[in-house]
Structures are given as C-alpha cells and as structure tokens.
C-alpha cells in the first residue's frame, strides 16, 4: 500500500519526453484561439475522444495536428512551463526534453522562436522550482537526411541551448542508416546522441542506432529482448533504455501493461528507465507511468530504487553532479 507513495515521492530524472507531446487539449484550444488557427475538432472533448490509437502512426497523425497551434516564442515558452511545473509536482529534479523543430519550421516558424522559447522556460523553471533541464533536438525520420542536415545547420547558431540530438517519428521503414551522415556530423560537433529504436522496429534498428548513429542511449528499445547478443551488449556497455510504459500500452506495443517487459529488462541487468513520452496523449505524466507499471507487473520497491538510480546514471549531467544524486 505504501509503494505508490514511494514511487511518487522519490526524486527522479525524466529522459524521454517530447515537449509537443505535453500539449494538453485545453492548451491546444487556448493557443488555437490566441493564434487564430482552425482545428479539425469542435472542442476539447471531441479532440480527447480522438486519442484512441492502434499503433505509432495513428498517434503521430494527431500529435502533429495538435502541434500546428504553436506559432510564437511565447507559445513554446508557455508549453514548456506547463510541462516543467507538472514535472516538479512529480518530483522530477532533472529533465532532458525532446523537441521536433522540423514540425514547426515547415510551417514557417523561425528556429529562433522554437529554441529560445523553450530555453527561457528551462531557465525560469530552474530559478522558480530548482528543476534542471537540457534540450535535445530530434530529427524527424520520415523526412530526408538532407532535411535533417539543413535543420542542424539552422539550429547551430543556438548550439549553446541544446545538449544533443535524437531521432523520432515513424520508425518502421525509416532505419537508422538513413541518418548515419548527420549523426556522425553531430558527434564531430560534440553533441550527445540518442535515437528512438526498437519501439515497433526490430532489434536490427537498435544495432544500427548504436553502430551507425553513435547513440549513447536508446529511446524505447523494448524489442531488444528478442536478440540475446544485443541484450548482452546493452548490459555490458551500460547503454540505457528510456522506456515509456503508458506509451507502449496506448500504442499497442504491450496492449496489456501486465505484459510489459520492464521486469525482464531490469532482471537482465539493463540500465532501463521509466519516462512519459507524450504525457498529454498517453494518459499520464511520469508518476502515473511508475504507479500503473508497478501495479500491473507486481514490481517492488527494490526495482523502484533501481529505476530512480538508473535515471540519474543515464542522464547527460556531469559525473560530479551524478555522484551527489546516487
Ligand atoms: N514522437 C513523439 N512520440 C514518439 C514516439 N513514441 N515514437 C516516435 N516518435 C515520436
Ligand atoms: Zn518518444
């Protein structure tokens, strides 16, 4: 009976959260009104009713429609502040926030407005609540590598405001090798690297993320259990997996949360972590992910401690600060 309280109260880092996926329906409608953007939904209720997903793509279509209300620097600031306040309430002390600039620059939004709005929110949240954050620029894998390279060039004037890059959007059919050149360039620039791999896609995509994209963490990675040699490598090299239980349930990766393989990943000695992915769309922020996952799988307090420790180990903060957390 005390386990949910422990899960909620324990300090934790969040390492896999798309800021556009934190846009609550109420904020989507408020921004649509503020910006004069027309939405294909009549009201908050009918938008929320559309959140019935069958796979990753069925979610992405609605997620990109929701993001269409974001136009000004203030919009990005307001969205990020709302998430950061919510994260603080869940005792998140450090967060590494994904953002998808191409979703916005394709609509004519300036890169400066995207990054500066998010950055200012991170600065103000740390002053107000003590939460630290980093921004991670994600390339959209359904677009071309040329577009990713162009996006990187547009973002480099704001290099001081993001610590790394990632790869998201439609996984199957867009393998890591498509982005080998841009990630090698990012490595040469000293950017940290993560990539979505093995969410719906095969273990081969995880191998590719490690060997071709030089990924230091794997986002999702739950399909790794189908490849023993890969499991051994992830464990031996302590390559973290940023797992998102409610996302996996809602996108039908594990339709029943009781079947989630987090217990197996931890038992195998992997540095697995719990994260919220797109909390406004998947039914809960990080603490809801912890509480529902533990209730469904029967995990105990030892795994709770392990997951919190893993989240700090897997973060991109300097080793000196990690020591204080661990
Ligand atoms: N973009 C936002 N959430 C995502 C996910 N779970 N997988 C791939 N791309 C995403
Ligand atoms: Zn994700």
């Amino acid at each position: 009976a005390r386990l949910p309280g422990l899960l909620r109260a324990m300090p934790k880092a969040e390492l896999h959260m798309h800021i556009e996926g934190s846009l609550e329906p109420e904020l989507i409608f408020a921004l649509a009104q503020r910006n004069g953007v027309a939405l294909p939904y009549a009201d908050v209720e009918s938008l929320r009713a559309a959140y019935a997903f069958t796979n990753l793509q069925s979610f992405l279509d609605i997620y990109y429609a929701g993001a269409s209300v974001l136009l000004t620097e203030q919009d990005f600031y307001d969205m990020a502040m709302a998430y950061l306040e919510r994260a603080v309430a869940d005792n998140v002390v450090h967060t590494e926030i994904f953002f998808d600039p191409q979703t916005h620059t394709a609509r004519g939004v300036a890169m400066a407005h995207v990054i500066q709005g998010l950055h200012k929110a991170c600065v103000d949240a740390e002053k107000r609540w003590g939460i630290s954050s980093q921004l991670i620029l994600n390339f959209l894998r359904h677009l071309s590598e040329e577009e990713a390279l162009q996006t990187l060039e547009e973002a480099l004037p704001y290099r001081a405001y993001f610590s790394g890059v990632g790869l998201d959007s439609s996984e199957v059919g867009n393998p890591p090798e498509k982005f080998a050149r841009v990630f090698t360039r990012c490595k040469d620039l000293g950017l940290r690297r993560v990539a979505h791999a093995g969410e719906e896609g095969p273990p081969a995509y995880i191998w590719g993320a490690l060997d071709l994209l030089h990924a230091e963490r794997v986002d999702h990675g739950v399909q790794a259990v189908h490849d023993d040699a890969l499991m051994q490598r992830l464990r031996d090299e302590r390559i973290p997996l940023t797992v998102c239980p409610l996302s996996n349930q809602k996108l039908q990766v594990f339709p029943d949360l009781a079947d989630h393989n987090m217990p197996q990943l931890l038992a195998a000695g992997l540095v697995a972590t719990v994260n919220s992915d797109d909390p406004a769309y998947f039914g809960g922020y990080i603490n809801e992910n912890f509480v529902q996952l533990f209730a469904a799988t029967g995990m105990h307090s030892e795994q709770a401690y392990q997951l919190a420790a893993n989240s700090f180990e897997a973060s991109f903060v300097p080793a000196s600060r990690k020591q204080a957390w661990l």
Side-chain angles (χ1 to χ4, degrees), residues 24 26 37 47 63 65 79 93 113 122 126 147 190 219 224 269 281 292 302 324:
E24 293 287 346
E26 290 77 10
V37 175
L47 175 56
Y63 161 85
M79 170 172 64
V93 299
H113 292 164
C122 292
E126 182 152 18
E147 287 164 291
D219 296 318
Y281 291 91
Q292 290 196 33
E302 306 86 81

Side-chain angles (χ1 to χ4, degrees), residues 167-179:
L167 185 66
D168 67 4
S169 194
S170 317
E171 184 184 14
V172 174
N174 296 294
E177 51 264 36
K178 187 175 160 185
F179 296 92

Side-chain angles (χ1 to χ4, degrees), residues 36-250:
V37 175
L39 286 171
Y41 301 93
D43 50 31
V44 166
E45 288 67 39
S46 45
L47 175 56
R48 226 184 262 283
Y51 294 180
F53 312 118
T54 52
N55 57 21
L56 174 59
Q57 192 60 49
S58 68
F59 155 70
L60 290 170
D61 294 341
I62 288 184
Y63 161 85
Y64 294 129
S68 71
V69 301
L70 296 160
L71 290 183
T72 69
E73 181 177 317
Q74 186 71 44
D75 298 339
F76 288 91
Y77 178 92
D78 292 346
M79 170 172 64
M81 281 306 267
Y83 161 69
L84 287 159
E85 182 168 19
R86 196 61 194 69
V88 168
D90 281 5
N91 295 303
V92 173
V93 299
H94 175 76
T95 180
E96 300 184 1
I97 299 173
F98 296 158
F99 67 107
D100 290 340
Q102 288 161 292
T103 299
H104 314 300
T105 54
R107 295 178 291 110
V109 178
M111 182 69 79
H113 292 164
V114 177
I115 298 186
Q116 285 171 354
L118 298 175
H119 172 70
K120 286 176 186 173
C122 292
V123 170
D124 285 354
E126 182 152 18
K127 276 192 218 146
R128 210 174 284 179
W129 300 305
I131 186 173
S132 61
S133 25
Q134 296 182 12
L135 295 173
I136 296 179
L137 185 161
N138 275 18
F139 302 114
L140 297 179
R141 69 198 303 158
H142 66 274
L143 301 179
S144 70
E145 185 173 47
E146 274 60 42
E147 287 164 291
L149 283 161
Q150 176 65 35
T151 299
L152 176 63
E153 291 307 318
E154 285 172 36
L156 282 180
Y158 313 97
R159 168 71 183 83
Y161 298 151
F162 60 100
S163 57
V165 296
L167 185 66
D168 67 4
S169 194
S170 317
E171 184 184 14
V172 174
N174 296 294
E177 51 264 36
K178 187 175 160 185
F179 296 92
R181 285 185 306 148
V182 66
F183 272 75
T184 296
R185 168 132 169 79
C186 289
K187 185 179 186 211
D188 292 342
L189 286 164
L191 286 157
R192 308 303 297 256
R193 286 114 17 227
V194 300
H196 283 57
E199 178 182 15
E200 292 180 338
Y205 282 28
I206 304 177
W207 287 105
L210 301 179
D211 291 332
L212 302 173
L213 306 184
H214 318 286
E216 301 169 85
R217 292 197 301 245
V218 175
D219 296 318
H220 295 293
V222 292
Q223 303 303 331
V225 296
H226 302 296
D227 183 332
D228 291 339
L230 177 58
M231 289 291 279
Q232 191 166 337
R233 178 168 180 196
L234 294 169
R235 185 193 59 203
D236 291 350
E237 298 185 15
R238 297 196 72 71
I239 298 161
L241 303 187
T242 63
V243 178
C244 305
L246 288 176
S247 167
N248 292 155
Q249 180 192 28
K250 296 300 190 304

